């Protein structure tokens, strides 16, 4: 199971880097960083609303 997780996350890194570079070129670095920071809040919000938060 750990090997599959590592393989999936490692395989997604080049794609994510390419998309982030394209977004940084298209929108600019500052808006891209703000958007990325806001996306980091999504898992916290999902966990806060889940029944596992208690």
């Amino acid at each position: 199971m750990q090997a599959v997780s590592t393989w999936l996350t490692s395989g997604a890194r080049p794609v994510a880097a390419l998309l982030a570079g394209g977004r940084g070129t298209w929108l600019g670095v500052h808006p891209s960083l703000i958007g990325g920071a806001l996306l980091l809040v999504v898992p916290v919000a999902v966990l806060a609303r889940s029944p596992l938060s208690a």
Side-chain angles (χ1 to χ4, degrees):
M1 188 67 173
Q2 180 64 33
V4 172
S5 176
T6 302
W7 181 75
L8 286 173
T9 55
S10 296
R13 286 179 188 164
V15 175
L18 190 62
L19 290 174
R23 182 181 166 115
T25 301
W26 184 51
L27 293 177
V29 175
H30 193 68
S32 294
L33 288 174
I34 291 173
L38 291 175
L39 284 175
L40 291 174
V41 177
V42 172
V44 175
V46 169
L47 281 175
R49 296 195 43 95
S50 75
L52 298 175
S53 65

